[in-house]
Amino acid sequence: MQTATRPSQGSLLTTLILAVTAYQLTFTMALPALPAITKGLGGDPGAIGLAQALSALAGALATVFLPLSDRFGRRNALLAALLACVFGSLLCAIAPGPGVFTVGRVLQGFSVVAMPLSNILTHRHLPAERFGRALGLLNMVNLGISGADTILAGWLADTYGFRAIFWIMLVVQAVAVVTVARLLPADEPDRQIRPDWAGMTTLALGVLALLTAVSNSSTWGWSSSQTLGLLATGLALLAGFVLVEKRSPRPMIQVGHLCSRRTWPLLLVPIFAMGALAGLTAFALPMFGQNPDAGLGLSALDYALLCSIPASVLSFACAPFAGMIAPKVGWRTLLLIGLVGMAAGMVVLTAFLPVLWAVVISTALLGALFSGFASTAANGLAVLLSPAENPSFLPAMMSCAFSIGAALGISTAVSVLTGLGGTSQSAFVVTVGVLAVFSVLSVLAGALVPDPSRTEVTA
């Protein structure tokens, strides 16, 4: 794909940083406000947990259709995602109950494609020696504005209520829409590309069925006919997707790529690692930290200051550093350093969950090791290991895997916690322990990821 004009490096990075910021605020600013949102919308933590999981599910579906950006333009795809985010923030700000709030969170979830689109655009427009630094910078922004956003969110939730948070999100997202429309050049349409509608639709329905079953497992039960039926339907659709792609003259995914070590181990990494991190930070830990009986009894602002800020600051510092050193130490080596450290931190957190200082230290290290190092390395590997004839393939699949992992982790945390009653300290410890198992599985997957410096990787 070509662009009508080549943007300057400064304007390109400025635009993409603002686009990524517009997306990441929907995630980071909501975290310290989860108990306030729960209380303000009826007091059902399961409903708010479901909204969080469905938001991640929407992100997974959006990334399934990301290859359409090759045909219709990456700027247009970015604008569509940001506009959906604006309307989602509006619905969350005015929501009278969990239903409208959930719809708003789903619309916000579509903006997750801002990150893979930004990765692709930086790789296309920047020289190779600047790609690593730019990727680290974007990943740094994707982790939060050095914690300032979570401090602001905690203060707003305590002082004005959760709705003020979403009004601020809306303003930033509207500015991002205008900036992308004005500064990012439009892509020239490539009429030779024909979207694989059958493949994308089959894959989207399969992912939708599987994650809907997981997301509602806490309400329906894992052995219910609805859960089992959707799980079976999802697996059948994914099997059908493979058959559709084999017979398609222009498949969105070469099935052989999915069987290659260049692909499947790398996709398993964010499914397990993001599952552990999202289940912890997007549900279990905010609920535990602000629980006055079974948890730490913190206010929203105190939680942001103690449990969110240290992780955000370290992630903010480590992400660009990781991008600079990755070409020297190796992208795969950096990935493993982050994953092993994350798994160790999750185990320590499980053992010392009731201890405030242990929670503060562990969450800070988790932010630095996964969000700073492993996530930066994973996004870089997705670009470097993607097939030359389809450069958006692996970044799109990687972003989808991050969203699937987030939905799986949040849904698992909601299911385990509510299944154990959700009111005791032991229930929170078991929930975090299950998420720690996810982090260990991510290390095993990361060990199978190949070194991108190799020219050939066997299937």
Side-chain angles (χ1 to χ4, degrees):
M1 177 176 290
Q2 298 178 347
T3 56
T5 59
R6 181 177 292 273
S8 68
Q9 295 182 7
S11 64
L12 175 70
L13 281 177
T14 299
T15 303
L16 296 181
I17 285 172
L18 187 55
V20 173
T21 299
Y23 151 68
Q24 66 86 21
L25 289 181
T26 67
F27 182 76
T28 56
M29 289 192 74
L31 297 184
L34 286 180
I37 294 171
T38 303
K39 182 179 179 180
L41 295 178
D44 183 2
I48 303 306
L50 177 61
Q52 291 285 87
L54 291 180
S55 179
L57 169 59
L61 295 179
T63 53
V64 168
F65 291 96
L66 189 59
L68 290 177
S69 67
D70 293 334
R71 171 63 179 82
F72 297 105
R74 295 194 171 97
R75 189 188 74 159
N76 292 336
L78 188 56
L79 282 173
L82 293 176
L83 284 171
C85 199
V86 169
F87 287 111
S89 296
L90 176 63
L91 289 179
C92 289
I94 65 175
V100 175
F101 179 81
T102 299
V103 174
R105 290 297 282 169
V106 167
L107 288 174
Q108 286 184 325
F110 291 133
S111 63
V112 72
V113 296
M115 190 64 190
L117 284 171
S118 298
N119 291 340
I120 295 169
L121 287 167
T122 54
H123 188 253
R124 178 173 298 277
H125 292 295
L126 295 182
E129 63 272 13
R130 294 202 61 188
F131 170 64
R133 293 184 180 183
L135 191 70
L137 181 62
L138 288 173
N139 200 55
M140 175 185 72
V141 175
N142 191 43
L143 300 172
I145 312 173
S146 192
D149 46 351
T150 54
I151 291 178
L152 178 61
W155 176 73
L156 289 172
D158 288 338
T159 307
Y160 298 104
F162 75 92
R163 299 182 190 277
I165 296 172
F166 290 95
W167 286 116
I168 290 178
M169 289 183 194
L170 188 150
V171 172
V172 175
Q173 291 151 6
V175 172
V177 169
V178 174
T179 304
V180 170
R182 291 181 63 86
L183 296 184
L184 194 63
D187 302 287
E188 293 182 356
D190 191 340
R191 303 297 183 184
Q192 296 181 350
I193 297 178
R194 294 292 181 268
D196 179 20
W197 292 107
M200 287 187 292
T201 302
T202 305
L203 178 59
L205 291 175
V207 172
L208 177 64
L210 286 177
L211 293 186
T212 300
V214 174
S215 299
N216 288 278
S217 60
S218 60
T219 303
W220 298 340
W222 285 101
S223 60
S224 67
S225 58
Q226 299 101 310
T227 301
L228 295 177
L230 281 173
L231 289 174
T233 300
L235 293 174
L237 285 168
L238 293 182
F241 167 73
V242 174
L243 297 177
V244 168
E245 293 302 276
K246 284 184 176 181
R247 298 181 180 181
S248 174
R250 297 180 182 88
M252 65 174 288
I253 296 175
Q254 294 289 344
V255 177
H257 292 328
L258 292 176
C259 300
S260 171
R261 275 191 56 206
R262 297 174 70 97
T263 302
W264 64 266
L266 186 60
L267 295 180
L268 287 178
V269 167
I271 289 177
F272 291 128
M274 191 63 189
L277 191 68
L280 179 71
T281 61
F283 182 74
L285 200 57
M287 292 298 185
F288 177 76
Q290 298 178 60
N291 188 307
D293 300 318
L296 301 175
L298 302 172
S299 67
L301 180 58
D302 288 339
Y303 176 82
L305 289 171
L306 295 174
C307 300
S308 297
I309 297 305
S312 296
V313 171
L314 285 179
S315 301
F316 204 75
C318 290
F321 175 70
M324 288 189 291
I325 67 172
K328 300 176 181 178
V329 303
W331 292 90
R332 179 178 180 274
T333 300
L334 190 68
L335 177 71
L336 290 175
I337 291 173
L339 293 177
V340 171
M342 177 189 177
M346 289 291 295
V347 171
V348 171
L349 182 62
T350 304
F352 297 95
L353 186 63
V355 182
L356 177 59
W357 65 264
V359 172
V360 173
I361 294 175
S362 296
T363 53
L365 291 177
L366 287 176
L369 291 166
F370 174 72
S371 301
F373 287 90
S375 180
T376 299
N379 283 317
L381 286 166
V383 174
L384 297 173
L385 292 175
S386 193
E389 71 276 9
N390 190 357
S392 67
F393 159 68
L394 199 46
M397 295 297 292
M398 173 63 69
S399 185
C400 184
F402 269 101
S403 297
I404 290 174
L408 178 63
I410 295 170
S411 301
T412 300
V414 172
S415 179
V416 173
L417 187 62
T418 56
L420 295 174
T423 58
S424 66
Q425 190 176 95
S426 60
F428 282 102
V429 172
V430 172
T431 301
V432 176
V434 171
L435 297 174
V437 174
F438 279 33
S439 67
V440 173
L441 293 175
S442 73
V443 175
L444 300 178
L448 298 175
V449 174
D451 187 337
S453 62
R454 295 174 57 187
T455 55
E456 296 292 337
V457 180
T458 59

